[in-house]
Amino acid sequence: MANGHLQEAVSTLKNTKVRMTPQRHAILEYLYETMNHPTADDIYKALESKFPNMSVATVYNNLRVFKNVGIVKELTYGDSSSRFDCVTTEHYHIICSDCGKIVDFHYPGLDEVETLAEQVTGFQVHDHRMEIYGTCQDCKMVSH
Amino acid sequence: MANGHLQEAVSTLKNTKVRMTPQRHAILEYLYETMNHPTADDIYKALESKFPNMSVATVYNNLRVFKNVGIVKELTYGDSSSRFDCVTTEHYHIICSDCGKIVDFHYPGLDEVETLAEQVTGFQVHDHRMEIYGTCQDCKMVSH
DNA sequence: TTATTACATGATAATTCTTATAAATAATTC
DNA sequence: GAATTATTTATAAGAATTATCATGTAATAA
């Protein structure tokens, strides 16, 4: 299933001028398998053994390429480094303020907010973003 | 009215061990008067004439202090530098993807999302964040 | 009031994340 | 297969933020 999404992403790339390279495939594979919201550096380290010569710039460059094509989303939280997420279904994130863990959280979507915003502000809305912050169960334990 | 909120923030600080200094007052004043979601550098430049000797570090340090006390919120968008917003009433932001303009957008609040998230994930929720992205009217004009 | 303590500031260095550059390499097109 | 174009790699550069530390200033205690 994750594999299916990966294939889909690969064929999306095929339709553009973007070439498929081993590095790009590995980055995508990692994103779609782990579903882990990694930073660019996380990805770099994870693929270090497979691609000892790969540059950090390659990771950044390709993440940007993927983002432009629309198969990867960039998430900027407060913690200085962006996180990257493969675009699959509509879901939000809940983030633990203590340990930083990110958990997917499915929710119907906030389309009504978008339409209301359009009416009130006159903007032409094309996206929104929401995150929830809290303390995860593990961290609740620790603090007791 | 903006002034009222400023006074409130000042007295909040009084209750903590945080001292009031001219620089801190000026930073808060700027935040509460402009309501402009400035970056740290924006603030630094805006206060340059009043405080020619003020260091950028002072701005950063104090914004962090304010954040910890809870009278200022840090907003991280994709554009590399954080923006800072004084905490007043519950509102969200709608951001123009073209020119970067940020407009306040009042909405009842998404408490139900928080409670649902608590039930589903087991997190203890204490905050959430939402933004809407679109094209503002000015930029819509330009593109025609 | 004076001494002491604790916190703030300012200048600068250091760190970190990200992007730009340029040469080498690989893939695609004809 | 040769020419063209995109990609990788290594490194340098850039920008935002934080750390350091000496100095300064305000609060507290005697």
Side-chain angles (χ1 to χ4, degrees), chain A residues 1-74:
Chain A
M1 38 217 72
N3 223 319
H5 283 130
L6 174 56
Q7 285 312 319
E8 203 177 311
V10 169
S11 67
T12 301
L13 284 178
K14 273 255 161 52
N15 294 337
T16 66
K17 295 289 167 195
V18 178
R19 293 175 186 169
M20 183 48 60
T21 67
Q23 292 90 336
R24 284 182 176 163
H25 193 88
I27 293 171
L28 278 180
E29 202 175 21
Y30 181 76
L31 275 170
Y32 279 83
E33 272 182 3
T34 69
M35 299 288 274
N36 214 14
H37 321 294
T39 65
D41 202 58
D42 290 339
I43 300 172
Y44 175 64
K45 281 180 184 143
L47 302 181
E48 206 164 38
S49 52
K50 259 192 202 166
F51 297 88
N53 296 329
M54 185 168 65
S55 170
V56 200
T58 300
V59 177
Y60 277 101
N61 287 339
N62 289 331
L63 286 172
R64 185 170 24 171
V65 169
F66 297 155
K67 209 178 72 177
N68 291 340
V69 175
I71 59 180
V72 162
K73 230 178 183 177
E74 182 175 1

Side-chain angles (χ1 to χ4, degrees), chain B residues 5-142:
Chain B
H5 283 131
L6 174 56
Q7 285 311 319
E8 203 176 311
V10 170
S11 67
T12 301
L13 283 179
K14 272 255 160 51
N15 295 336
T16 65
K17 296 287 167 195
V18 178
R19 293 174 186 167
M20 183 49 61
T21 67
Q23 291 91 336
R24 284 182 177 163
H25 193 88
I27 293 171
L28 278 180
E29 202 174 21
Y30 182 76
L31 275 170
Y32 278 83
E33 271 182 3
T34 69
M35 298 289 275
N36 214 14
H37 321 295
T39 64
D41 202 59
D42 289 339
I43 299 171
Y44 175 65
K45 280 180 184 144
L47 302 181
E48 205 164 39
S49 51
K50 257 192 202 166
F51 297 87
N53 297 330
M54 185 168 64
S55 170
V56 199
T58 299
V59 177
Y60 277 102
N61 286 338
N62 290 331
L63 285 172
R64 186 169 23 171
V65 169
F66 297 155
K67 209 177 71 176
N68 292 339
V69 176
I71 59 179
V72 161
K73 231 178 186 178
E74 182 175 1
L75 312 167
T76 58
Y77 304 115
D79 62 340
S80 77
S81 46
S82 291
R83 292 165 177 284
F84 295 88
D85 193 15
C86 52
V87 176
T88 54
T89 63
E90 193 58 55
H91 69 267
Y92 300 100
H93 295 127
I94 180 162
I95 302 154
C96 180
S97 308
D98 292 8
C99 67
K101 179 171 27 181
I102 301 175
V103 174
D104 289 348
F105 166 63
H106 291 270
Y107 190 77
L110 300 167
D111 301 336
E112 45 171 75
V113 179
E114 289 197 358
T115 51
L116 180 61
E118 276 193 338
Q119 291 164 7
V120 174
T121 64
F123 274 55
Q124 181 172 355
V125 173
H126 39 68
D127 199 11
H128 74 263
R129 155 182 180 168
M130 184 186 68
E131 284 123 28
I132 303 173
Y133 300 90
T135 308
C136 74
Q137 284 180 315
D138 294 346
C139 290
K140 273 198 285 187
M141 293 298 195
V142 174

Side-chain angles (χ1 to χ4, degrees), chain A residues 77-122:
Chain A
Y77 303 117
D79 62 340
S80 75
S81 47
S82 291
R83 294 169 175 280
F84 294 88
D85 194 15
C86 50
V87 175
T88 53
T89 63
E90 192 58 56
H91 69 267
Y92 300 101
H93 295 126
I94 180 163
I95 302 154
C96 180
S97 307
D98 291 9
C99 67
K101 180 168 33 182
I102 301 173
V103 175
D104 290 348
F105 167 63
H106 291 269
Y107 190 78
L110 300 167
D111 300 336
E112 45 171 74
V113 179
E114 289 198 357
T115 51
L116 180 60
E118 276 193 338
Q119 290 165 6
V120 173
T121 65

